[in-house]
Amino acid sequence: MATTYRHTVGKSTISGYLIVKPDEESFFGADPGSHGRNIEIGFGEQLKISARLYRTSGKTRQLKLVFTGQECQPFRRWLSKNCPRRKARQPRGVLSLARRTEKSYMASVESIAQAEVQVLELGGQRFFAGARPLSVLHPALMGFKDLLATIEVSKSATPTRLMNNIEKILLKNDWSLLATVGSGLALPGGFRRSNAQLHFVLEAKEIFEALLSVAAAFELGVIDLGLVIVADGSLARRLGQAVTGSQASLDRAVSNLRTLNFLVRGPLGVFALSMKKQLR
């Protein structure tokens, strides 16, 4: 169970309530039901209020935390002061609740600048040998974009550190890491899931080996989709600060394939790997 709950502050939060996402409800412990229960929220300089946690009626039955009314005005005022208004509908900050007991929490806030992080994102895509329609519904790619968005890219990221983080996330989400492609070939096997083989290319020198490994896997008949994800743009530049030599890019990978078209032995998707800002 998580010990901290984070919620984006917008108009509804400033006005006195927030809706808890279903996958984060366990943070607040036992279901309070429609009758609800009071919880204490500490904030600022040893201030505190009593908020109400309850489950709404109707079809949605959402878990709702309410801090309206005169007695909770100091908390709303504190939120408004620490999360200044921005452009219409843009988040004003992030509210963080740290659990002290099941009925007692400590609140703090972060500005947008403090809460923003860079996460991985798929960019441009190139498809070969009929990979486009296959990739749309391929089970290996279901939820893959959301998975990448959980991986942060620090300002001091290196190819090795980032690859270690990627590996940890993939192995926790039903991907397997193979030492070799098979049949005694001295080629990396990449990640496998649902007959798809996936390689991340974070440095230019890795492009050819990844493409060759996917081609070999098709020749061995062990996969039905090849995926090569190549650092591109701002991500490649950030990683390039930590290594010598030329940077990886989607265009470089595609150029290699067009020059050495014998490497396309089956449905192959080559995707750019970039970054986007996201609230932590």
Side-chain angles (χ1 to χ4, degrees), residues 96-198:
S96 178
L97 296 178
R99 186 190 306 108
R100 296 192 290 196
T101 68
E102 188 176 351
K103 295 183 179 180
S104 177
Y105 303 84
M106 189 67 196
S108 60
V109 294
E110 292 179 3
S111 68
I112 294 299
Q114 291 171 322
E116 270 186 343
V117 294
Q118 295 273 16
V119 298
L120 294 179
E121 180 184 41
L122 288 182
Q125 303 177 3
R126 302 290 186 273
F127 298 96
F128 302 86
R132 185 187 295 273
L134 179 61
S135 65
V136 172
L137 296 176
H138 199 285
L141 290 177
M142 296 299 177
F144 189 68
K145 288 185 178 180
D146 293 336
L147 194 62
L148 288 179
T150 66
I151 303 173
E152 294 185 17
V153 184
S154 68
K155 292 182 179 179
S156 59
T158 66
T160 299
R161 291 174 189 163
L162 181 57
M163 195 62 241
N164 287 340
N165 292 338
I166 291 171
E167 181 179 320
K168 289 176 183 177
I169 295 297
L170 291 183
L171 293 181
K172 287 181 181 178
N173 288 271
D174 302 324
W175 287 87
S176 300
L177 180 60
L178 276 66
T180 68
V181 73
S183 292
L185 296 175
L187 290 169
F191 297 93
R192 296 270 183 90
R193 181 184 177 189
S194 302
N195 296 321
Q197 181 168 311
L198 166 66

Side-chain angles (χ1 to χ4, degrees), residues 208-279:
F208 179 74
E209 187 176 56
L211 295 173
L212 184 59
S213 181
V214 170
F218 277 118
E219 287 298 302
L220 295 172
V222 293
I223 63 172
D224 61 16
L225 177 65
L227 300 165
V228 177
I229 300 182
V230 187
D232 194 72
S234 59
L235 175 62
R237 289 191 293 273
R238 178 170 297 186
L239 296 177
Q241 295 172 1
V243 298
T244 57
S246 56
Q247 296 174 359
S249 71
L250 176 63
D251 287 344
R252 181 184 290 270
V254 171
S255 177
N256 282 7
L257 279 172
R258 288 174 177 165
T259 302
L260 305 171
N261 57 16
F262 66 86
L263 291 173
V264 180
R265 314 302 292 179
L268 171 65
V270 184
F271 303 157
L273 185 64
S274 57
M275 300 185 296
K276 68 175 181 180
K277 289 183 178 180
Q278 179 172 287
L279 291 180

